[in-house]
Amino acid sequence: MKELYFKLGIIVTLVIFSVSCSDDFLEEKPKGTVSEEILTSASGVDLLLVGAYSRIDGYSQGEAGGTGGASATNWVWGDVPSDDMHRGDQTGGWSPINLIERYEADPANAWIEELWAANYDGVARANDALRVLKKAGELIESSKAKQLEAEARWLRAWYHFQLRTKIEKIPYIIEDVVAKEVPNDREVWDDIEADLVWGIENGMDESPEIGRASRWAAKALLARVHLFQNEFSEAKPLLDDIMVNGPFQLMDHFYDNFDEEKQNNAESIFEVQYTVNDGAGEHNAGADHRTLYPRGGDVGSCCSYSAPSFDLFNAFKVDANGLPLLDNFQDELLLEDYGVLDTEPFTPTDVALDPRVDWTIGRRGVPFLDWGPMSGSDWMLDQAGMGPFLNKKVMFYKRNKGIISISSPTWSNGLNGNNWRIFRLSHIILWRAEVAAEENDLVLAKDLVNKIRERAQDDLVMGKVNNSTFESGYILDMDENMPAANYNLGLYTNFPDQEYARKAIRHEMRLEFALEGMRFQDLVRWGIDSETITNYLQSELSDGKLPWLQGSSYTEGQDDHWPIPQAQLDLQKGILTQDPAY
């Protein structure tokens, strides 16, 4: 599939799309368009389908999504407005993201426009494939036609899902409508479900070519759609089927799911496929998260726009039994080296932590994969504005620099070919634990959570760094046979009641899936967004920390989603209506 993305790089630009930011583009054929008749064959439809897949990373240079507003990593929408991440760069750079983090985004926000346009471009590409598939009729063998249709419907469902989880009032665009005439006057969850169910019921391939959606991916997405509607009984059989009958198993190590050397592994259900150094420049790389890497030293890339919060770091604290501090992890907030220069003495905390913390968060005095220890403030643009932590899950190993990362110089040297895992077995297990808790099956809920925790128990970051300063030319003093920090991870002996089970499972999801673009939408679907974010802001901003974020507040019923872009309302007057919350 990675090769197919490149091969279609020119062809997809020739397709007549059904949806765009521009009204003129809706009406006029771009120069050099290919007629649908030329593509009316199995191979033609497949090329159109690959064009639809190529939009799944949310990034397209020179088109909507060119700055990452529709990124598959979902960091702008799932991490930044949550209690997990700061935008990082104060008021510089991509300032529209700052407004999203401060809960001040309005219908004119450029990133909301990009989110809308890029995802509806993906919808349009899927619809192009479906429309040409219908025209082909019996020219395509029946089983092949069903597989092509199932994948196209999965993609159409995916792009609408990306939109619906962030914007409440959206139109559902199918292949045989005039896109600009479809209103946003009804709920679309049933439409998303229908597209996914069609593929599942019509023999969607369980083990297609890598990079294509399988029947398992359809079931995973459908289960997730049901969870967003609190339809636990509907999600349950789908999750059970994946766990019992699917070919998936947990990898031995937590970080295997972010390791570029272990892509498309046994735990993975669906990944966005990236590649670099393939002759396509940077177009097939993971450009949707190109600005999330550390600065400074030989690790220096761009642009440290992904700073884990104090709150997230403290969520990894554990008690004497290695269990999370579900209700009081915000007490005595650990700030690590916040406000301390890399040349000034500092020793990391010896408070006991879940070991996943140092596979998730980069912090001073702890090895950053094989790049050596993070030395502190020199690895980020502005520690006072962003906090002292960095995102580790998007980084690649130093040993793969120029191999899995782009070899030609660019303004964002962190561009790499490490896939982004959208669905994996650990998602399924913890979602199933959530269903069990809602059904008050507390023993099963506990056992499933423990299954995930047991995998991480011995996943220690090794290398005790004894340096307290990192002035220029320092000599590293590190004991590779010692754990980098004080780690402890225990198993639950019981969930005493349903409310405790909910807290434990939600906290476990936070630790396991931190910085993967899921947190904010999960808070919203659980109905705890207002309480959680309000408490988080009070704790995070106490004592004047993060001055640019001071004064932020969360409005219940509005800040849990975003508005229709004003540009779209202007283009489709009388068709689209703005969300009443805005």
Side-chain angles (χ1 to χ4, degrees):
M1 181 58 87
K2 291 186 179 182
E3 292 180 3
L4 287 176
Y5 284 170
F6 172 61
K7 290 176 183 176
L8 200 64
I10 297 175
I11 293 177
V12 294
T13 65
L14 304 179
V15 180
I16 305 171
F17 300 124
S18 307
V19 182
S20 172
C21 288
S22 167
D23 192 47
D24 290 338
F25 194 72
L26 287 171
E27 300 295 339
E28 298 178 9
K29 295 182 180 181
K31 293 180 180 180
T33 56
V34 222
S35 69
E36 291 182 347
E37 286 72 19
I38 294 176
L39 297 169
T40 306
S41 64
S43 59
V45 173
D46 198 44
L47 286 173
L48 291 172
L49 188 59
V50 174
Y53 273 111
S54 74
R55 251 324 199 167
I56 204 165
D57 65 352
Y59 180 87
S60 183
Q61 188 166 343
E63 300 181 52
T67 51
S71 166
T73 64
N74 207 34
W75 69 278
V76 175
W77 310 103
D79 290 329
V80 167
S82 79
D83 47 355
D84 277 2
M85 181 193 288
H86 299 304
R87 150 72 170 75
D89 190 23
Q90 294 199 54
T91 56
W94 288 335
S95 56
I97 308 177
N98 296 16
L99 298 175
I100 291 168
E101 181 167 5
R102 289 182 57 88
Y103 313 105
E104 295 172 357
D106 62 23
N109 187 287
W111 283 67
I112 297 175
E113 293 179 15
E114 193 167 282
L115 171 72
W116 181 282
N119 278 293
Y120 274 120
D121 186 14
V123 169
R125 295 184 186 206
N127 282 334
D128 285 336
L130 288 165
R131 186 171 54 255
V132 175
L133 180 62
K134 284 185 178 179
K135 185 172 289 189
E138 295 181 358
L139 294 175
I140 302 177
E141 189 269 328
S142 176
S143 61
K144 176 65 174 178
K146 284 184 177 180
Q147 178 62 23
L148 291 170
E149 182 170 352
E151 290 184 53
R153 283 175 172 254
W154 187 93
L155 286 162
R156 183 167 70 187
W158 169 258
Y159 293 121
H160 281 106
F161 174 77
Q162 287 290 87
L163 286 159
R164 177 57 188 86
T165 53
K166 302 167 187 70
I167 300 173
E168 288 190 347
K169 289 173 63 64
I170 67 167
Y172 203 87
I173 310 296
I174 59 176
E175 73 276 12
D176 56 359
V177 301
V178 179
K180 67 179 182 179
E181 296 178 359
V182 179
N184 60 336
D185 57 355
R186 63 180 182 82
E187 183 55 85
V188 299
W189 286 122
D190 288 348
D191 301 85
I192 296 173
E193 291 174 18
D195 270 341
L196 296 170
V197 168
W198 192 95
I200 293 168
E201 293 183 347
N202 282 273
M204 193 174 183
D205 197 340
E206 290 190 354
S207 55
E209 180 184 13
I210 288 176
R212 295 182 184 271
S214 67
R215 196 184 314 175
W216 302 114
K219 290 178 179 180
L221 180 52
L222 182 56
R224 183 80 167 144
V225 169
H226 284 308
L227 290 177
F228 267 89
Q229 302 170 81
N230 293 321
E231 295 174 349
F232 301 106
S233 60
E234 288 85 348
K236 178 179 177 179
L238 294 162
L239 298 169
D240 282 341
D241 188 23
I242 296 170
M243 290 169 56
V244 175
N245 300 313
F248 313 105
Q249 60 184 30
L250 290 177
M251 294 293 287
D252 291 338
H253 303 289
F254 167 71
Y255 197 78
D256 287 347
N257 293 296
F258 316 101
D259 185 340
E260 68 269 18
E261 297 173 357
K262 297 177 181 177
Q263 301 178 71
N264 300 304
N265 60 44
E267 188 168 337
S268 181
I269 298 172
F270 185 79
E271 299 184 9
V272 179
Q273 306 292 313
Y274 297 129
T275 183
V276 292
N277 307 323
D278 57 3
E282 58 188 51
H283 299 293
N284 294 330
D288 53 330
H289 50 229
R290 69 188 306 160
T291 59
L292 307 188
Y293 307 105
R295 299 171 179 260
D298 63 350
V299 76
S301 298
C302 179
C303 301
S304 64
Y305 285 2
S306 176
S309 64
F310 296 110
D311 198 86
L312 177 60
F313 178 73
N314 281 265
F316 285 92
K317 291 190 295 193
V318 296
D319 64 18
N321 296 313
L323 295 177
L325 308 180
L326 300 179
D327 295 314
N328 59 346
F329 67 88
Q330 291 174 328
D331 295 350
E332 299 180 25
L333 211 62
L334 299 173
L335 305 184
E336 287 298 87
D337 64 321
Y338 184 54
V340 180
L341 296 178
D342 56 291
T343 55
E344 297 175 334
F346 171 78
T347 301
T349 182
D350 62 357
V351 168
L353 302 169
D354 184 311
R356 285 172 292 185
V357 66
D358 287 325
W359 293 111
T360 302
I361 295 174
R363 60 183 174 121
R364 178 172 168 171
V366 174
F368 196 91
L369 302 180
D370 62 347
W371 292 90
M374 179 187 167
S375 54
S377 61
D378 61 326
W379 277 38
M380 54 196 66
L381 178 65
D382 179 9
Q383 196 212 55
M386 66 188 295
F389 306 118
L390 289 171
N391 185 340
K392 220 171 194 176
K393 286 184 174 178
V394 298
M395 196 56 181
F396 54 93
Y397 284 97
K398 183 177 182 178
R399 61 177 175 264
N400 291 324
K401 184 177 182 180
I403 302 171
I404 197 70
S405 72
I406 198 163
S407 57
S408 301
T410 176
W411 66 270
S412 53
N413 292 323
L415 282 173
N416 63 77
N418 191 8
N419 294 348
W420 187 252
R421 287 73 164 173
I422 287 181
F423 295 125
R424 62 181 189 270
L425 184 58
S426 48
H427 290 133
I428 305 304
I429 291 172
L430 287 180
W431 293 340
R432 183 62 182 89
E434 180 181 351
V435 171
E438 295 305 320
E439 294 183 339
N440 215 29
D441 188 348
L442 303 185
V443 173
L444 177 59
K446 169 189 66 75
D447 290 345
L448 291 171
V449 169
N450 279 343
K451 188 178 182 71
I452 296 299
R453 293 180 64 79
E454 189 172 18
R455 189 256 296 269
Q457 274 189 311
D458 298 322
D459 234 350
L460 312 183
V461 172
M462 300 299 292
K464 177 68 174 176
V465 176
N466 297 312
N467 301 73
S468 62
T469 63
F470 296 91
E471 66 283 348
S472 178
Y474 79 92
I475 298 174
L476 178 61
D477 179 9
M478 181 174 72
D479 186 344
E480 296 182 354
N481 297 314
M482 290 288 292
N486 180 14
Y487 301 124
N488 188 10
L489 195 160
L491 303 181
Y492 288 97
T493 56
N494 73 306
F495 285 169
D497 54 53
Q498 188 179 51
E499 187 53 35
Y500 183 92
R502 287 187 180 125
K503 272 186 190 177
I505 292 165
R506 292 168 182 177
H507 198 90
E508 194 66 27
M509 287 187 189
R510 187 182 192 189
L511 303 183
E512 182 77 7
F513 309 141
L515 310 181
E516 295 181 46
M518 301 174 63
R519 174 67 173 172
F520 184 70
Q521 280 72 41
D522 276 342
L523 291 175
V524 172
R525 73 180 180 85
W526 293 327
I528 61 172
D529 50 298
S530 182
E531 175 187 2
T532 300
I533 298 298
T534 298
N535 291 340
Y536 152 71
L537 289 174
Q538 182 178 359
S539 171
E540 195 79 358
L541 301 181
S542 63
D543 302 321
K545 298 190 300 298
L546 310 172
W548 71 274
L549 194 56
Q550 293 291 324
S552 301
S553 63
Y554 189 84
T555 301
E556 186 171 5
Q558 174 178 304
D559 293 333
D560 59 352
H561 62 284
W562 287 272
I564 307 294
Q566 188 60 47
Q568 294 300 321
L569 294 172
D570 294 341
L571 286 171
Q572 295 174 260
K573 291 180 179 178
I575 303 297
L576 297 181
T577 57
Q578 185 57 275
D579 189 311
Y582 288 88

